[in-house]
Each structure stands twice: as structure tokens, then as C-alpha cells.
Amino acid sequence: MSEPLPPIRADLDFLPSPVEDRPGLLIRDPFHYSDAMLIIPPALIPCLEFFDGTRSALDLREMLVRLTGDLRVGELQEQITGALNEAGFLENDVYRAMRREREAAFAASPLREATHAGSAYPADPQALRTVLDGYLLDGGAPPERESGLAGIAAPHVSPEGGRACYRAAFGALGEEYADRIFVVLGTSHYGEPDRFGLTRKPYATPYGEAVCEVALVERLIAAGGGAVKLEDYCHAVEHSIEFQVLFLQHLFGPCIRVLPILCGSFGRALLKREPPERGDTVRRFLDALRELNESGSGRLLWVLGIDLAHIGRRYGDAFAAQSGDARMEEVARRDAERLERVVAGDREGFWNLVCENRDGLRWCGAAALYTFLYAVPEARGRLREYGQWSIDPQSAVTFAALSFRTAPAGVPST
């Protein structure tokens, strides 16, 4: 009996091809273990179903014979299997070797390099400054600055797509915040649920190296327990913190002090419709962050790199979505309900809304927001800007700019 074909990796991105004259399914590796990208022609997309760990090369050959009406499919079969294998897209030794090499390289590197320079933003410092100045000024005066802030929330969508919200969020910060320690909570899109990814590595951008607050990292390692994942490889590929560091350096210079924390999803709590801190490991880390906030009063500024809803075919919906259409107007209404709870500091009410339909809006920033509301329970917010962006012709993302102050004495916290 023929051996089963190795399964295709479940952690890959599968997207409609963006190349007009090459329709089909684009496959890429969000972890960057492999830099390859494959476009599978529409007629061959059903072949991917045979890479599930149960079906064999003979099963694939039989399907290709039916598909082509030709018994001579050996070369086509080898091309399909070979391309997936060489790209590192199959669960086999080729992929595992790629993974070990990339993770070892990140572990050995003294820096967290600027992964998205040259793609999401310019790699040349002067060109970058021109672009970010354009985003933050937007042809006019800077937005209103705010004093006495405990934190801000900004998007992590492409800076071009979310420029108005980046402007509103980072425009709130004046020079008085330059010497703060920026506790940056980023969405961990690819990390393990109920885990918080830490790193001692300084974040580097075209502006230079930020300073990682290693003493605070060590403090969280000691106090955070099993929820901590140290030198989390996800830092190497995530953009949710990188973009925040980039804008902070633009405002205050390269040597800003940063405590970078990636927040994994609270999947268990979402399924059980219960508070995330009901899990012992999550509660221990959240308590450690609250203690850090209490002891660091006046020294810390929290910066959240979050997006909100993800709607449309890219995200598994059976329908297309475009920013501003009727469906997205309803999404905006539901976003507003959640944001109302966030700015009120009502983390329980916020989480109850997230749990409806197991977060049918797919708020990728929900865990980071909840983490902040737990760590800084006296925080009360202000919605400075809300936006939607059509990330492709059939899908849209929403995001917001928020600012937070601590509640005056006598205002109850949740």
C-alpha cells in the first residue's frame, strides 16, 4: 500500500492570487520559515485536498487522470508535490529543517531586525521620515495633543491603509512622553493561545535600535509563570509591535525605551465564555502586569498595536466585503458597542461582547485590549478616530485610535 502524502501545513496563508494574469490560490508562509510563494492555478486547487496525511500519491494520480483525461500525469504530479516540498509547505523533514534554521538564527541574533522595512514602509531613513511626516501631518496641523496620558491604542494595519488612525493615535503624544518606558502590547497573530511572547532583543528599524527594558522583561519572566514564552520567534515576523516602535522612534528618536509584549489570543476563555483570568497561568501574568503598572506610575506609557474586525472572503466569510458598504456599516455599529465598553474601562462588558458568537467580528486586538484593561483597571479612554480599509477587493479590516487616562479619584474601576 502506498505511503500517505505528507500533510500540507495548517499554519500557511491561503489567499486569492493578487496577480491579474495568474489567477488561482496564493500560498505563503507567514512565519517566514520559507520565503517561497506559490500560485496554484484554479484547476489544480483540488489537488491540495490530497495532502491531508491520509491519502497517497496513487490517490492524487487517480484524481489527476480524471481531471486531465490523460494517463500521462506523472510529470504534473511530481511538479505539484515537488513545488510544495521545496517551498517547505509540507509537514516533513524539509520544513522542519527550515524551521530549525530560522528559529536558531533569531535566537542567535542580537537584534530583532526590521522585518517589514522595504515592503510596508521605506527602508531608507530619509524616505521613511518623509512618508511618516506625510501620514502624521496629512497636509495640515498635527492633531490635538493630550497631557496626562496612561496610554494609546493605534492600528497595526498597513500604515498607508490606516494612516488617519495612526495620525490620531500618535498625534496625541507630545515631547513630555519622550522619556517614558513604552509598554507595547501587540497582537500575536501566529502565537500560541493564552501565551505572552517576550524578548530581550532590541527592536531595530531604519531609524536605529530601540532600547529593550531587559530588567522589566526579567521581572515578568520571574513573576509571569507558565504564560510566558521567552524569545518567542513570533517577534521575528510580527508587525504589530514593529509598526508602533517605528512611529515612536519617528516622534522621539531611535533610542526610545521599550518593553515589547506579544499577546496570544484568549481562545480557551472565548470558547467557555468566561474571563481570561479564570485560567491560572493567564491570571498570573496579568497580575504581574498590573503590579508593574502600579510600581511604575509616571514612568510607563502603554501603547497597543491592535486592529479590530476582519470581514470578507480573506477571513473565511462566504461573502465579499468592502469598507463603507452596507455590511460594513453594521460592523461599524457593532465595533462602536465594543469600543464604548473599552473607553468606559468596562473589561467585563467588553469581553461579554467579544464572546458573542465566538467573536464573529474577529477582533485580533481583543486580547491586547483586555490585557491593558486588566493591567490598568483605572484607565478610561477616548475614541479619537475610527477607520475601515479594503485590504483586498473582497475583504475589509477595521481599526481605531484611542487615548487613555487614569480615572479621577472616586470613579469606580471594573
Side-chain angles (χ1 to χ4, degrees), residues 245-265:
V245 171
L246 188 72
F247 277 90
L248 289 169
Q249 287 181 321
H250 183 79
L251 292 177
F252 303 125
C255 296
I256 56 169
R257 296 183 293 166
V258 178
L259 173 58
I261 304 171
L262 286 173
C263 302
S265 67

Side-chain angles (χ1 to χ4, degrees), residues 16 54 63 159 182 246 312 318 331 361 381 392:
T54 67
M63 191 277 286
F182 298 103
L246 188 72
V331 169
L361 293 179
D392 65 35

Side-chain angles (χ1 to χ4, degrees), residues 357-402:
N357 300 319
R358 296 183 180 177
D359 191 13
L361 293 179
R362 306 183 190 93
W363 266 38
C364 74
L369 273 168
Y370 191 92
T371 296
F372 171 73
L373 293 175
Y374 188 102
V376 193
E378 68 277 15
R380 301 295 181 270
R382 171 189 172 190
L383 176 62
R384 288 174 61 94
E385 187 78 30
Y386 172 81
Q388 300 185 354
W389 183 49
S390 298
I391 197 166
D392 65 35
Q394 298 183 325
S395 313
V397 179
T398 71
F399 34 82
L402 303 164

